[in-house]
Amino acid sequence: MKRISLTRFLVEEQRLNNNIPAELRLLIEVVARACKTISHAVGKGALGEVLGTAHSENVQGEVQKKLDILSNEILLEANEWGGHLAAMASEEMETIHPIPNRYPQGEYMLLFDPLDGSSNIDVNVSIGTIFSVLKAPEGMAIPTEQDFLQKGSQQVAAGYAIYGPQTMLIFTTGNGVNCFTLDREMGSWVLTERNIQIPVDTQEFAINMSNVRHWYPPVTRYVDEMLAGKTGPLNKNYNMRWIASMVADVHRILHRGGIFMYPADKREPDKAGKLRLMYEANPMSMIVEQAGGASTDGKQRMLDIQPHALHQRVPVFLGSKNEVELITRYHAEHSN
Ligand code: P6P
């Protein structure tokens, strides 16, 4: 199979679809290079003295792992000088990160979860980097948090890197989802899957079952029906997977279908669940929709949600179209 590099793919995509201007192409290549560096650090594990906690907490109140902080710094440093960004935002930083004055300010804004699934780092389970790209508002001089609060449908690109048995980069610029595998000897990203499509039906669901006593009725009904298998109303047997690393669960769903659920539950007064809208749910939802799947918060299309805060949480139901439509219907039936 002819080896298509990331650079060649981006140049040819621009020629074909004219939706990857030079600065966006640079952005994607810089993020891809940063993910190579993160992959190298993650791959060293204990040999790199990067495992364990950093004895600090992030804005989420979550204990930060050394690799969380290192990955965040790698992405900041890689993207500051290029002139393609106006500002960045990260799960690991409370406020936005404007581009330092010594560098030119560009027209894009980059959001990321630098290392998602970090509870898996110390037990050698796949983790990943999730990123989302928005355009800076016309005429914006000094970026503020408000400038980031755009609907997911406004994203111009979204992607993730997964650090597993292979290191892969999956992204979309609005014309389908393409996958690149890192050739470690050459240090280059090679196109290995074009225009990936999620099966519209599935027999596999992903949810943290330990929370079952906290779920609201629509989720309880749906999971009970799947557990009933052929003896129940869905008339098919289901399998279950929960890697507790969103990147790994979504990557599996992109390849063999499934539904990923992180619902709100009775423990939180704001009913927003655990996952973040701006740099987890939105980028993954753009990818899933571009691959023929669907994504909602249980009530509305994820990409239509108007954000009100940079780190806001949101319930997530994404994956095979028909399954997402079913759980969304159950929410509607139970809300009346
Ligand atoms: P739980 C990882 O911490 C994460 O943010 C997602 O990657 C993952 O899907 C979820 O949380 C796992 O949450 O409650 O099962 O540990």
Side-chain angles (χ1 to χ4, degrees), residues 62 91 113 116-120 130 208 210-211 242-247 249 260 262 267 274-275 280:
E62 294 162 347
E91 175 174 66
D113 181 355
D116 180 73
S118 46
S119 59
N120 288 311
I130 308 172
N208 183 336
S210 69
N211 299 325
W242 187 250
I243 305 173
S245 177
M246 186 184 197
V247 170
D249 281 314
F260 173 94
Y262 210 107
R267 290 173 293 180
K274 173 181 183 183
L275 301 180
E280 290 175 333

Side-chain angles (χ1 to χ4, degrees), residues 9-10 13 17 19-20 24 28 155-158 171-178 286 290:
F9 173 82
L10 291 169
E13 272 292 290
N17 299 308
N19 71 331
I20 313 186
L24 181 57
I28 292 170
Q155 293 174 103
V156 293
F171 69 86
T172 180
T173 55
N175 277 287
V177 178
N178 297 286
M286 181 180 183
Q290 283 289 315

Side-chain angles (χ1 to χ4, degrees), residues 61-304:
E62 294 162 347
V63 172
Q64 289 178 303
K65 303 281 188 180
K66 289 177 190 166
L67 272 171
D68 283 331
I69 295 173
L70 176 63
S71 304
N72 195 59
E73 285 165 1
I74 289 168
L75 282 159
L76 291 179
E77 285 160 24
N79 281 286
E80 279 186 336
W81 49 268
H84 52 287
L85 290 182
M88 291 180 258
S90 164
E91 175 174 66
E92 299 303 329
M93 302 185 299
E94 182 159 4
T95 57
I96 66 165
H97 181 88
I99 297 303
N101 293 334
R102 62 184 179 279
Y103 299 123
Q105 182 169 297
E107 61 181 316
Y108 294 103
M109 305 194 302
L110 178 67
L111 303 93
F112 47 82
D113 181 355
L115 206 56
D116 180 73
S118 46
S119 59
N120 288 311
I121 293 174
D122 297 344
V123 292
N124 199 16
V125 170
S126 297
I127 48 184
T129 298
I130 308 172
F131 66 92
S132 167
V133 185
L134 295 169
K135 288 210 68 174
E138 285 299 319
M140 180 192 75
I142 312 284
T144 65
E145 178 171 320
Q146 195 60 34
D147 297 312
F148 280 84
L149 302 185
Q150 302 177 32
K151 294 181 180 182
S153 55
Q154 298 303 307
Q155 293 174 103
V156 293
Y160 64 84
I162 178 167
Y163 312 115
Q166 308 98 44
T167 286
M168 293 184 74
L169 176 72
I170 286 80
F171 69 86
T172 180
T173 55
N175 277 287
V177 178
N178 297 286
C179 307
F180 296 78
T181 302
L182 180 61
D183 175 338
R184 295 182 197 284
E185 283 85 10
M186 301 291 284
S188 55
W189 294 103
V190 180
L191 178 67
T192 43
E193 292 165 275
R194 269 190 193 277
N195 195 25
I196 202 163
Q197 291 295 306
I198 302 178
V200 292
D201 289 304
T202 185
Q203 287 177 255
E204 197 158 68
F205 68 96
I207 194 167
N208 183 336
M209 290 294 284
S210 69
N211 299 325
V212 64
R213 65 187 182 284
H214 304 303
W215 294 340
Y216 289 106
V219 177
T220 306
R221 173 183 170 189
Y222 181 48
V223 174
D224 284 348
E225 289 180 359
M226 290 189 285
L227 293 175
K230 272 199 163 308
T231 66
L234 302 181
N235 191 27
K236 57 181 174 177
N237 295 326
Y238 282 76
N239 192 13
M240 195 210 95
R241 287 284 182 276
W242 187 250
I243 305 173
S245 177
M246 186 184 197
V247 170
D249 281 314
V250 169
H251 191 72
R252 183 192 61 255
I253 288 167
L254 277 179
H255 287 82
R256 67 184 196 213
I259 180 163
F260 173 94
M261 296 178 276
Y262 210 107
D265 69 39
K266 297 167 189 164
R267 290 173 293 180
E268 318 118 15
D270 65 353
K271 297 189 180 180
K274 173 181 183 183
L275 301 180
R276 308 292 168 176
L277 175 63
M278 297 305 295
Y279 39 78
E280 290 175 333
N282 272 347
M284 290 309 206
S285 299
M286 181 180 183
I287 291 167
V288 163
E289 282 199 2
Q290 283 289 315
S295 177
T296 80
D297 67 348
K299 297 183 172 56
Q300 64 176 312
R301 179 182 178 236
M302 191 69 73
L303 298 182
D304 289 342

